[in-house]
């Protein structure tokens, strides 16, 4: 798995997205699948940059591979920030109007809807969030 180590700052988002896009292009990922993957990567990286380390800046690792059988894109995010499982958060109630819903959680919900699988573990003092999309 190729891995990018980068400071978890929103200014580094383009570097992360460029690396993911390059990998997707090298693996002939159809645009219809690449776009949701890129949206999910953006959402997760920005959340790490904003929330993982509080007022400090820490490192994020973003790994990516395309597995052959079954063929799928796997992206793994690692950070040593505060332990937090975004998948444990209750999905927002979309039947409520935007003004009636509490702020937060919509991006992770959207990411869960875009990806085929998402998992979270806290291991070796790291948050590890994995997303997968079948090709």
């Amino acid at each position: 798995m190729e891995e990018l180590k980068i400071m978890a700052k929103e200014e580094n988002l383009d570097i992360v997205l460029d690396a993911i896009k390059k990998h997707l292009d090298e693996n002939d990922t159809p645009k219809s699948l690449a776009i949701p993957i890129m949206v999910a990567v953006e959402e997760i990286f920005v959340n790490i940059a904003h929330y993982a380390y509080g007022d400090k800046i820490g490192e994020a690792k973003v790994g990516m591979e395309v597995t052959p059988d079954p063929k799928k894109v796997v992206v793994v995010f690692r950070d040593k920030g505060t332990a937090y499982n975004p998948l444990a958060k209750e999905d927002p109630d979309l039947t409520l109007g935007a003004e009636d819903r509490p702020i937060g959680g919509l991006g992770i919900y959207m990411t869960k809807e875009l990806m085929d699988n998402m998992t979270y573990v806290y291991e070796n003092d790291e948050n590890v969030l994995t997303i997968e999309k079948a090709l």
Side-chain angles (χ1 to χ4, degrees), residues 6-11 45-60 79-82:
I6 194 161
M7 296 310 291
K9 304 188 304 187
E10 193 169 351
E11 304 88 81
F45 184 78
V46 168
N47 279 350
I48 293 169
H50 284 184
Y51 305 114
Y53 295 99
D55 293 337
K56 298 179 179 148
I57 296 173
E59 185 177 74
D79 69 76
K80 291 188 178 283
T82 303

Side-chain angles (χ1 to χ4, degrees), residues 63-79:
M64 185 184 165
E65 70 179 335
V66 175
T67 63
D69 189 25
K71 192 166 183 180
K72 63 184 173 182
V73 171
V74 179
V75 183
V76 180
F77 300 85
R78 296 178 180 274
D79 69 76

